[in-house]
Amino acid sequence: MAKPADSYCLLSCLFVLFVSCTSAAKNDQDKQVYIVYMGALPARVDYMPMSHHTSILQEVTGASSIESRLVRNYKRSFNGFAAWLTESERQILAKMENVVSVFPSKILKLQTTASWDFVGLKKGKRAKRNPSIESDTIIGVIDSGVDPLSDSFSDKGFGPPPKKWKGVCQGTKHFSCNNKVIGARNYTPKTKGVPHSAIDNMGHGSHTASTAAGNAVNDVSFYGLANGTARGGVPGARIAVYKVCDIVLKGCNTDGILSAFDDAIGDNVDLITISVGDQNGLPFEVDTIAIGAFHAMAKGILTVNSAGNNGPDPSTVTSVAPWIFTVGASNTNRAFVTKVVLGDGKTVVGRSVNTFDLKGTKYPIVYAGCLDRKLVSGKIVMCDSGRNVEEAKYMGAVASIVRSSAADTADVFSFPVSVLSGHAYDVVLSYMNSTKNPIAAVLKSETVFNQKAPVVASYSSRGPNPIVPDILKPDITAPGSEIIAAYSPTIPPSIADTRHLKYSILSGTSMSCPHVAGVAAYVKTFHPRWSPSMIQSAIMTTAWQMNASTWMPDEFAYGAGHVNPLAAIHPGLVYEANKADHIAFLCGLNYSGKNLRLISGENNSCTKAQSKSLPRNLNYPSMTAQVPAKKPFKVTFRRTVTNVGTSSTTYKAKVVGSKLNVEVIPNVFSFKSMREKKSFTVTVSGQGLGDEKPVVSSQLIWSDGVHFVRSPIVVYAAN
């Protein structure tokens, strides 16, 4: 999700936060769209889902025709439908034997030239490639569509779509697919007077799709800033577009998101990237992304999802299911700075993407005059927050200086703006208070390199996991700040902007998510038969260790660390978790009976052993446990690794960076063949965690001298 940087970011105004889809049907104000989730499709060859859905609706509503009620069917990869229902009808449906859950459809929030070089996936021969398999790789992008005319999506040099492709091009007459963008579907509601097309009318989908798999396009810049070659992680891969977000919706409809998963799985994509999320973590049975991703996982498709942009507060991560690869956002070594030169000669450095040139001219500075035209016209306006910064422009201000508690990311504005840290802002205020006629100049932005990186961005959502405390989220971090990529030329790059361009700069976990999707696709080109969990494990256990975050306990900000694509193709060992493992995980969370059978598609119940399984014993690449506060604790993690390195090798365990007592049994094991498995336990004990030290962590590293398989261990006190 592209971040709402304070309240002045473009996207915070375009996308209303999570408004429930409660628009009532004409002449019937008590209906709203509900999603009726019915789990896996029955295995019976004579089962016809659409007929079944129709009969259910007729039974519940008492109407012979349900055309005005039915919104959509889920019929290809899992079972269910969306419909206009009253509350009493919802309650009747929720009690039906073949229904898992019934919940409202909502509007969810949408959560580069240098970033791929920064992570090590360089252009040309400097990064190993597998071009034939990359060309057969299909990335499903669930977002706001794409601009099919962008050079990032040209099919020059591409052959026909892979034979495995089962999708269609339903982008309407305004949208033409090609051998790069091989499919398009649109799930947004039709609006009178607005073309119903898979064309991107928000800019967001073009940006994420091109970041993951866009072509290499030379001489791209944002009015001279960030000049270079824009490209995706796997530029040879194909893209399938699933449009669920729209500027008219002001977000993304959840009933459409579930349809997009249904079709993407049926279309036979290789992985799914979705930079969309709710405001809070949700129970799995009412979380459309978790539901869709579960069925994708069961079919061997990895789902990569943005963590959210509600950081740095704790427990704000919204993508919480272990079968989803959850991505936080960090910076790169490149940044855009906007200097302010004061009348006394002092210079303070702020952040923004400012391409407006005031030629160094100094203008009078006024404070707290954002809403008064007489005070601000022809002046530079000081604003304590970004709330009224664009209004200052309307009132005639030539520029603005804004205070931010987290001035660690540069955003695009429609006129000269510099966003200062609290300290730098106070320097300007001090100058104003000591000078009768204070003046200043806001300069054009400059590009600087070699900043401390990677560091997790302040906006990136943090753990602990609000739904499953013993699963660490986010899983990984990747570049998300100040990313330049394809954009929609029909949409201005900021509020009140009159400019239109084909490439723009955005920040958010929306931007980091497709980076990891690109890396996952890259890994898959070398290991086409690897399962989603193997790919996720390879990326997590080879991640870079991060620079310490000043915002939160580190692992709750970045998970396993920063993505490292070249190392991920040779992880040595992987942690595997299949559908059965995740069913056991759900059993341990007290999912049982009807719901478990319907979700899994298997006619069985939890065994006693499964019901007693602890969530922390899911075979996950990280290890996390919540323990009672201020009490001695002892927790054990059970894990199994699979050898994917060399056929004959010995690994030894090492625990680093810990003030805990950590015991690994066994701490040495030898492999004699590929795909051989070895199990071990990790027991962590301590005297108690309290207010002064509520979180402790360490790292378990398995190494054979060539591979270093690293897993974070995090123990934290319950509130």
Side-chain angles (χ1 to χ4, degrees), residues 92-111:
I92 294 170
L93 273 165
K95 294 176 182 178
M96 286 188 168
E97 180 62 25
N98 51 7
V99 173
V100 176
S101 54
V102 184
F103 52 97
S105 177
K106 295 194 287 186
I107 301 299
L108 298 191
K109 177 185 174 184
L110 286 161
Q111 315 261 174

Side-chain angles (χ1 to χ4, degrees), residues 38-192:
M38 300 169 66
L41 284 164
R44 302 195 327 263
V45 294
D46 62 338
Y47 180 74
M48 294 183 290
M50 293 179 70
S51 296
H52 189 200
H53 303 161
T54 297
S55 66
I56 289 174
L57 264 181
Q58 289 173 333
E59 177 186 344
V60 170
T61 63
S64 58
S65 174
I66 48 84
E67 184 178 349
S68 63
R69 293 292 201 102
L70 184 65
V71 176
R72 62 182 83 247
N73 299 94
Y74 310 119
K75 58 187 184 297
R76 299 183 67 193
S77 307
F78 44 85
N79 200 10
F81 59 91
W84 290 93
L85 301 170
T86 64
E87 172 59 21
S88 60
E89 291 166 348
R90 182 201 68 79
Q91 292 177 7
I92 294 170
L93 273 165
K95 294 176 182 178
M96 286 188 168
E97 180 62 25
N98 51 7
V99 173
V100 176
S101 54
V102 184
F103 52 97
S105 177
K106 295 194 287 186
I107 301 299
L108 298 191
K109 177 185 174 184
L110 286 161
Q111 315 261 174
T112 146
T113 52
S115 57
W116 285 113
D117 285 350
F118 177 73
V119 301
L121 202 55
K122 298 181 183 294
K123 185 180 179 182
K125 296 181 179 179
R126 290 177 289 177
K128 186 179 178 181
R129 294 276 179 182
N130 200 338
S132 61
I133 298 180
E134 185 171 316
S135 182
D136 280 342
T137 301
I138 306 168
I139 298 180
V141 182
I142 301 177
D143 210 295
S144 63
V146 300
D147 173 19
L149 301 180
S150 171
D151 290 341
S152 291
F153 308 122
S154 165
D155 67 351
K156 183 179 180 180
F158 282 84
K163 293 180 180 180
K164 64 186 177 183
W165 172 242
K166 298 179 181 179
V168 297
C169 186
Q170 295 177 337
T172 73
K173 64 180 181 180
H174 303 287
F175 190 108
S176 297
C177 297
N178 57 27
N179 288 330
K180 174 67 175 180
V181 180
I182 60 175
R185 298 178 187 266
N186 184 7
Y187 307 93
T188 60
K190 292 182 179 180
T191 303
K192 188 176 181 180

Side-chain angles (χ1 to χ4, degrees), residues 614 616-617 625 634-639 680-684:
L614 299 174
R616 67 169 175 262
N617 286 332
K634 183 177 183 180
V635 294
T636 298
F637 303 94
R638 303 182 186 279
R639 293 292 187 271
F680 63 94
T681 62
V682 177
T683 301
V684 182

Side-chain angles (χ1 to χ4, degrees), residues 236-276:
R238 316 301 178 109
I239 295 171
V241 175
Y242 302 89
K243 181 174 178 176
V244 298
C245 311
D246 189 86
I247 198 167
V248 177
L249 281 174
K250 300 179 181 177
C252 320
N253 55 331
T254 53
D255 58 285
I257 289 171
L258 207 52
S259 271
F261 271 102
D262 186 25
D263 283 327
I265 297 166
D267 290 344
N268 212 18
V269 303
D270 289 291
L271 63 90
I272 293 169
T273 178
I274 175 168
S275 293
V276 174

Side-chain angles (χ1 to χ4, degrees), residues 464-465 468-471 556 624-628 689 694-696 714-718:
N465 190 321
V468 190
D470 286 359
I471 296 293
F556 289 146
T624 307
Q626 184 186 64
V627 298
L689 302 175
V695 183
V696 290
V714 182
V715 179
Y716 66 104

Side-chain angles (χ1 to χ4, degrees), residues 673-694:
S673 62
M674 296 290 286
R675 294 299 182 102
E676 184 179 355
K677 299 178 184 294
K678 297 286 185 180
S679 297
F680 63 94
T681 62
V682 177
T683 301
V684 182
S685 58
Q687 292 304 308
L689 302 175
D691 296 335
E692 293 184 3
K693 196 170 188 179

